[in-house]
Amino acid sequence: MAYAAPSHLIAASPTPTNTGSQVIAGGLGAVAPTRILDTRSGVGAPVRPVPAGGTISVQVTGAHGVPASGV
């Protein structure tokens, strides 16, 4: 059986505005799928295993087509 959220729980979204990978203020945009973290090859962090329960900080804004601000 499919579940449908009650209409009072569904928020209205702004109309998406997308010009390629550029995000327009107040709208939604998209960027091409890309790997931003891979510790096996050194993408986004040094090549090393992440221990169980470990964390890694990743810079997302300003990289890989994501705007540096306003996101």
Side-chain angles (χ1 to χ4, degrees):
M1 173 187 267
Y3 171 77
S7 61
H8 70 280
L9 296 179
I10 300 173
S13 298
T15 302
T17 306
N18 186 350
T19 59
S21 64
Q22 183 180 14
V23 178
I24 305 301
L28 303 174
V31 294
T34 187
R35 189 175 305 263
I36 61 170
L37 176 66
D38 187 343
T39 60
R40 300 168 300 175
S41 63
V43 174
V47 175
R48 65 183 168 104
V50 180
T55 61
I56 294 178
S57 295
V58 179
Q59 178 68 36
V60 176
T61 55
H64 307 287
V66 177
S69 64
V71 295

